[in-house]
Amino acid sequence: MKLTRRASVFLLAFGVWTWLIWPNFMVNIAKDDRAFTDSGAPTTFFTVHLVLVLTSLALGTVIGVIGWRGFRADRAARKTD
C-alpha cells in the first residue's frame, strides 16, 4: 500500500502529538490526590490511567513510524521521477 504525502505527514504529526500530550497528562495524573494512597501505593485510578497512557504512546509510536516510512517512500519516489 502506498500512502500519499499528505496522509504520511498527518500520521507523523499524530505520532509527534501523542508524545507531546500523553506524558504531560501522566505527570498531571501523578500529581492528583487520587493517584496514590497515604502509604504511597498506586491506586486503581493511577493504574488505569497509566495503562491508557502506555497504550496511547505505543499506538502513537507505531502510527508515527508508519507515517515516517510513508513520507520517506514518497520522497524517494519523487527523486526517481
Side-chain angles (χ1 to χ4, degrees):
M1 178 178 160
K2 183 178 175 185
L3 292 173
T4 64
R5 183 178 195 94
R6 180 183 226 171
S8 297
V9 169
F10 175 78
L11 294 176
L12 184 58
F14 180 86
V16 170
W17 176 258
T18 298
W19 275 94
L20 291 174
I21 295 303
W22 286 104
N24 184 46
F25 178 76
M26 195 66 229
V27 168
N28 291 335
I29 291 296
K31 291 179 184 176
D32 193 297
D33 294 336
R34 298 170 290 176
F36 298 97
T37 62
D38 292 336
S39 63
T43 61
T44 304
F45 172 80
F46 179 81
T47 305
V48 166
H49 284 88
L50 178 62
V51 170
L52 174 68
V53 168
L54 293 176
T55 302
S56 296
L57 289 174
L59 292 173
T61 301
V62 170
I63 290 168
V65 167
I66 292 169
W68 176 248
R69 288 181 178 176
F71 183 79
R72 281 189 13 218
D74 181 69
R75 189 173 60 184
R78 287 176 188 243
K79 283 184 180 180
T80 60
D81 290 342

